Amino acid sequence: VKPLFQNIAIVGLGLIGGSIALELKRKKLSPRIIGISRSAENRREALKLKAVDAAYSRVGSFLSEADLVILAAPVKAILPLLKNLKGFLKKDAMVTDVGSVKGEIVRAASRMKGFHFIGGHPIAGTERSGMKAAERDLFRGRKWILTPAPGTSKPCLKRLTSLIENLGARVVLMDPGEHDRIFSAVSHLPNVVAYALANAVASLEDPDLPRFAGSSLRDMTRVAGSPPEMWRDICLSNREEILRRMRNFEGVFGRLRKAVEKGNPSGLFKFFDQGRRFRKKLEAQRTL
Ligand code: NAP
């Protein structure tokens, strides 16, 4: 069978870009895969693992060969990268991204001319980062959101969908604004709360604390091991939605504080019971 894309360029050989490259290669989904990453370590690792056929430190004329460019850098770096590389693209090349926030990127990129842009967000990952953290099978059985704009070409959407399905993921189409609202609740809020919790516990500055830290603290702060650049950019790009979720969180947390202050047994029981019901529902739906 003829591959869907003859030449794929991946900008950013980190956890997500690196995992895409590994899987494209393993499944022989494209005869030529080019990686672009500023760090020599990410490039070296990608070449060593044979995840890419060639690796460059910056965008350049070699991009004129690419049928598909995948932007896999932190959210706020994606539009500047696109502006830098668009002059090199061949006519009608396709471009997608994997950024965790979609509105800002899709609004700007779908207005640009000369290439086909389709925003994307794979719902897969870990708290680890860099090409060293890349995993085969990272996308198997996971959702991969695509956020086409009104003018998106149907054949392009179909081609990208096929590629993603070949990586083992299931494509879900969403409006970018709806994506950002939902992911502010199911992903961005839990992640920022994990960092806040880590900082709050650290501020107690008791040298004995780490020795006694157990599974609750470990589970609750796991995602605070993610790169700070990534969460800085997500907060800058999805600012309004994240602020809404944070204000709501403060209200909910305030209710809990009041129940503790009052020593109100039924209030406390109700609060914890309600939370547990939600958790059980997530478990039953196997979404965790
Ligand atoms: P990562 O492992 O830290 O990789 C980030 C990559 O972007 C690296 O290759 C980095 O490499 C490059 N980069 C960083 N800053 C850059 C800049 N200013 N300009 C150009 N390149 C830059 O992070 P990741 O987890 O793969 O995240 C990549 C994207 O995927 C982000 O937009 C993130 O929101 C999204 N995402 C992450 C997850 C997750 O769970 N981790 C899940 C879904 C989506 P060099 O320094 O070598 O250039």
Side-chain angles (χ1 to χ4, degrees), residues 12-16 37-39 42 72-75 77 98-100 122 124-125 129-130 230:
L13 293 170
L15 167 71
I16 300 292
S37 228
R38 302 163 310 172
S39 102
N42 283 335
V75 167
V98 299
S100 307
S129 64
M230 181 167 143

Side-chain angles (χ1 to χ4, degrees), residues 198-215:
N199 289 343
V201 175
S203 72
L204 299 174
E205 284 178 351
D206 185 326
D208 277 341
L209 261 168
R211 270 204 302 139
F212 296 106
S215 60

Side-chain angles (χ1 to χ4, degrees), residues 36-261:
I36 299 127
S37 228
R38 302 163 310 172
S39 102
E41 197 191 337
N42 283 335
R43 295 198 303 275
R44 210 171 28 243
E45 189 70 17
L47 288 166
K48 195 178 95 191
L49 294 169
K50 296 191 169 29
V52 295
D53 298 292
Y56 297 88
S57 60
R58 65 176 82 122
V59 299
S61 54
F62 58 87
L63 279 170
S64 63
E65 311 271 306
D67 310 300
L68 172 67
V69 177
I70 303 175
L71 301 168
V75 167
K76 279 286 184 182
I78 288 174
L79 284 171
L81 278 170
L82 185 54
K83 282 175 194 147
N84 277 343
L85 64 79
K86 75 178 167 58
F88 296 112
L89 295 177
K90 72 170 156 199
K91 196 176 170 296
D92 288 332
M94 284 175 60
V95 180
T96 188
D97 78 312
V98 299
S100 307
V101 183
K102 295 273 56 85
E104 187 179 39
I105 292 170
V106 175
R107 262 195 310 279
S110 52
R111 267 195 244 118
M112 295 181 194
K113 302 262 181 285
F115 57 89
H116 298 280
F117 181 85
I118 302 175
H121 177 199
I123 312 305
T126 66
E127 69 283 9
R128 303 182 58 225
S129 64
M131 184 70 218
K132 275 204 165 73
E135 288 179 25
R136 299 207 151 87
D137 268 346
L138 186 68
F139 308 107
R140 190 165 66 190
R142 312 309 297 258
K143 294 188 183 70
W144 191 310
I145 315 283
L146 290 181
T147 56
T152 299
S153 132
K154 289 261 154 58
C156 287
L157 182 59
K158 216 171 136 198
R159 252 173 106 195
L160 183 60
T161 300
S162 299
L163 185 80
I164 292 169
E165 285 172 353
N166 278 306
L167 290 172
R170 187 158 47 84
V171 168
V172 177
L173 300 184
M174 263 177 118
D175 167 75
E178 171 80 349
H179 167 280
D180 291 355
R181 191 174 63 78
I182 290 180
F183 281 88
S184 69
V186 299
S187 167
H188 308 166
L189 180 68
N191 276 274
V192 300
V193 169
Y195 285 101
L197 180 65
N199 289 343
V201 175
S203 72
L204 299 174
E205 284 178 351
D206 185 326
D208 277 341
L209 261 168
R211 270 204 302 139
F212 296 106
S215 60
S216 304
L217 192 64
R218 189 193 58 210
D219 292 352
M220 291 286 301
T221 57
R222 179 182 62 83
V223 293
S226 306
E229 298 86 350
M230 181 167 143
W231 287 99
R232 173 197 63 198
D233 283 14
I234 290 171
C235 286
L236 292 172
S237 187
N238 201 19
R239 182 170 175 267
E240 294 310 317
E241 289 295 351
I242 291 176
L243 279 173
R244 280 189 201 111
R245 302 296 91 75
M246 288 173 81
R247 289 189 198 106
N248 176 259
F249 182 81
E250 282 172 17
V252 173
F253 200 68
R255 275 203 283 125
L256 174 60
R257 183 169 45 73
K258 282 205 184 95
V260 175
E261 273 166 9

